[in-house]
Amino acid sequence: QVQLVESGGGLVQPGGSLRLSCAASGNIFRINAMGWYRQAPGKQRELVATRTSGGTTDYRDSVKGRFTISRDNAKNTVYLQMNSLEPEDTAVYYCQATLILRGEGLLARDYWGQGAQVTVSS
């Protein structure tokens, strides 16, 4: 089985910074991509940022220039550095991984972390 463990959420004032971490473990053969999604009350889950094993990144327009996604491929860990946080960034942030388990050939599946609460408020 696969486990994605998140850490780094919390309460921060507008303009502040937080760094989220997510470590994937299990019988993993290859991780094709890792990323972050978020969901605020009453809203749909939305993409924040993704990064492939080849280094290609994708960001939601509203976080470009403020958030940075990075990966340590050797440790199967993804990070999200969040700067200049705004109240609109308040949400539960979910780590996501698209990966292939050992013994499953080229079959890639999506896995999710437990979620981390990020609250931006004065």
Side-chain angles (χ1 to χ4, degrees):
Q1 61 272 22
V2 174
Q3 186 177 18
L4 274 62
V5 179
E6 302 180 31
S7 62
L11 174 65
V12 65
Q13 66 180 2
S17 298
L18 285 173
R19 190 189 192 199
L20 302 180
S21 299
C22 175
S25 62
N27 196 21
I28 299 169
F29 172 70
R30 177 182 176 86
I31 299 179
N32 293 337
M34 297 187 76
W36 296 93
Y37 293 73
R38 67 187 183 187
Q39 187 167 22
K43 302 181 69 175
Q44 298 184 41
R45 186 174 298 187
E46 62 187 23
L47 170 73
V48 179
T50 61
R51 186 179 179 93
T52 69
S53 59
T56 301
T57 59
D58 188 22
Y59 293 91
R60 182 177 188 84
D61 286 345
S62 62
V63 309
K64 289 180 179 177
R66 300 189 297 119
F67 292 9
T68 302
I69 187 170
S70 61
R71 282 177 62 180
D72 185 337
N73 292 332
K75 296 182 178 295
N76 292 335
T77 299
V78 65
Y79 307 91
L80 185 68
Q81 179 67 47
M82 303 183 291
N83 299 325
S84 301
L85 283 161
E86 305 167 352
E88 293 75 18
D89 297 316
T90 296
V92 177
Y93 283 69
Y94 295 93
C95 175
Q96 182 268 338
T98 302
L99 58 83
I100 302 171
L101 296 176
R102 293 191 179 96
E104 293 195 354
L106 299 178
L107 177 62
R109 299 181 185 273
D110 291 339
Y111 296 87
W112 295 88
Q114 79 279 11
Q117 178 69 51
V118 172
T119 302
V120 185
S121 176
S122 59

